[in-house]
Amino acid sequence: MATPAKDPGHVRRRGHRRRGAEPARTDPPGAEPAASPDSATELARDLESGHPGWVILWRRWARRYWAFPLWIANAPEPIEAGHVQDLLAQMSDIELQHSPPATNG
């Protein structure tokens, strides 16, 4: 008797993987490898200190960055991205649409 995992005619439901198998990659082709959770958290802190008016978090469980613009009273949903370059591009778009306050530096 063939087991489902060894039966060539067995079709595994979409989204299910063999026990012990690595999860499928969802990053676009050519994307840089995901940062380790600790380095991603540190990078989020560095980004936040370099971008006043923003709160930037690394969502470890989702492996994504979140950014919140603090100067917009009726702020839209937080922006999110899997890679820093994507996050910075979205932050620039928000800053162009809603000019951030001037910083005293």
Side-chain angles (χ1 to χ4, degrees):
M1 181 170 144
T3 62
K6 294 180 181 179
D7 180 8
H10 174 74
V11 177
R12 186 173 290 118
R13 289 188 324 204
R14 184 178 176 97
H16 293 263
R17 64 179 190 268
R18 188 178 70 251
R19 183 176 295 185
E22 289 293 319
R25 301 263 333 186
T26 57
D27 297 334
E32 74 272 5
S36 73
D38 292 334
S39 65
T41 301
E42 189 63 34
L43 182 56
R45 286 185 194 129
D46 292 345
L47 287 170
E48 185 176 325
S49 67
H51 294 86
W54 288 92
V55 171
I56 301 173
L57 306 171
W58 167 252
R59 293 175 37 211
R60 186 177 194 153
W61 64 272
R63 296 173 51 125
R64 298 187 63 78
Y65 293 95
W66 263 15
F68 302 84
L70 298 178
W71 72 93
I72 304 172
N74 57 350
E77 299 272 329
I79 57 175
E80 90 178 82
H83 301 283
V84 173
Q85 296 83 359
D86 297 335
L87 184 76
L88 292 173
Q90 290 181 53
M91 289 169 59
S92 293
D93 289 344
I94 295 287
E95 289 171 349
L96 288 173
Q97 293 171 11
H98 308 274
S99 56
T103 57
N104 297 332

